[in-house]
Amino acid sequence: MRVYLIPVSLTVSMMAPAALGNTAPATPSSVQTSVLQLSAHSQSLQQLLGKPLDQQTLSQIDELSYQLECDLLQLGTPAAAVAEPLESLHQAVENRDSNEVARCGGAYLAAVGAWLSGRE
């Protein structure tokens, strides 16, 4: 079975809260919870990238990258500087390219760290 990925930047823009009809403003506590969740999942990614990138670790990173996408959706549409590295990570994992996964994962972590710092 072949699975096709929709670029994260496209899914993020398509599924932004306003596009879903959820126009109610997020409460400060829900935003804080989402930020903490994104931070925790990003930390998990960092830990996985520190391991040998065998097939099992790549599968874990693949699952985690989708969770990171959901975390970002809860916070609203992120800047392309965050969505593009996450999409690159998705593609690298799909291609099972360990070197590219490490590079793209590092780029994503740097981008999301900067984006979260700007939110504070």
Side-chain angles (χ1 to χ4, degrees):
M1 179 172 97
R2 180 89 173 135
V3 176
Y4 296 95
L5 296 177
I6 297 173
V8 172
S9 56
L10 178 60
T11 58
V12 168
S13 64
M14 287 177 9
M15 297 183 69
L20 292 173
N22 180 10
T23 56
T27 63
S29 64
S30 68
V31 170
Q32 183 179 17
T33 300
S34 296
V35 167
L36 291 173
Q37 186 172 313
L38 176 62
S39 296
H41 288 135
S42 295
Q43 179 71 17
S44 295
L45 175 61
Q46 187 172 20
Q47 291 171 350
L48 287 172
L49 291 172
K51 294 181 175 183
L53 297 178
D54 57 16
Q55 295 303 313
Q56 180 180 358
T57 304
L58 290 175
S59 293
Q60 291 172 327
I61 291 172
D62 188 35
E63 289 177 27
L64 186 57
S65 68
Y66 285 102
Q67 184 58 55
L68 289 165
E69 180 180 349
C70 290
D71 295 344
L72 289 170
L73 288 172
Q74 290 177 354
L75 289 168
T77 305
V82 176
E84 289 174 7
L86 184 55
E87 177 58 26
S88 296
L89 179 61
H90 277 300
Q91 291 174 358
V93 171
E94 183 180 87
N95 293 329
R96 299 293 191 202
D97 184 341
S98 298
N99 293 328
E100 192 67 6
V101 167
R103 187 188 70 74
C104 293
Y108 168 77
L109 290 171
V112 78
W115 187 65
L116 286 172
S117 293
R119 292 184 63 88
E120 295 175 349

